[in-house]
Amino acid sequence: MNKEIKEKIIKVCNDKIAKKGENVGLSFYAFFKNKNDNPKLLMEVAKWWIEKHQLDHFEKAVKIKKMIQKSK
């Protein structure tokens, strides 16, 4: 994944954690608008989430944030 989407994922995770606490869960859809305006990037993140890491539909934001930070 490119640097921009990684930064966005971390920002979304930080925002969700700040608003709802350490136990908040999210799906990879949380990083995109409701409108599918970048299907290639959506599929890239979906493959990272589903195929590469075999994550559940909803995962803890703190877990995703740590995984992204390690992948930089």
Side-chain angles (χ1 to χ4, degrees), residues 10 13 22 61-71:
I10 291 170
C13 288
E22 295 278 319
V62 292
K63 176 181 179 178
I64 300 303
K65 179 181 170 182
K66 286 178 187 174
M67 291 174 73
I68 292 294
Q69 289 172 326
K70 286 181 181 179
S71 72

Side-chain angles (χ1 to χ4, degrees), residues 38-54:
N38 192 340
K40 185 176 179 181
L41 184 59
L42 176 67
M43 289 306 298
E44 185 178 346
V45 174
K47 285 181 179 185
W48 177 89
W49 190 285
I50 297 166
E51 289 180 359
K52 184 173 182 180
H53 295 286
Q54 299 180 347

Side-chain angles (χ1 to χ4, degrees), residues 2-57:
N2 67 42
K3 181 182 175 183
E4 291 171 350
I5 190 62
K6 287 180 179 182
E7 289 173 353
K8 183 175 183 176
I9 290 170
I10 291 170
K11 181 185 181 316
V12 169
C13 288
N14 285 338
D15 290 348
K16 295 277 186 182
I17 293 165
K19 290 177 184 171
K20 299 197 176 196
E22 295 278 319
N23 288 323
V24 68
L26 48 76
S27 78
F28 64 87
Y29 291 113
F31 314 120
F32 298 92
K33 299 175 185 176
N34 287 338
K35 187 178 180 182
N36 190 5
D37 59 353
N38 192 340
K40 185 176 179 181
L41 184 59
L42 176 67
M43 289 306 298
E44 185 178 346
V45 174
K47 285 181 179 185
W48 177 89
W49 190 285
I50 297 166
E51 289 180 359
K52 184 173 182 180
H53 295 286
Q54 299 180 347
L55 299 171
D56 290 335
H57 184 77

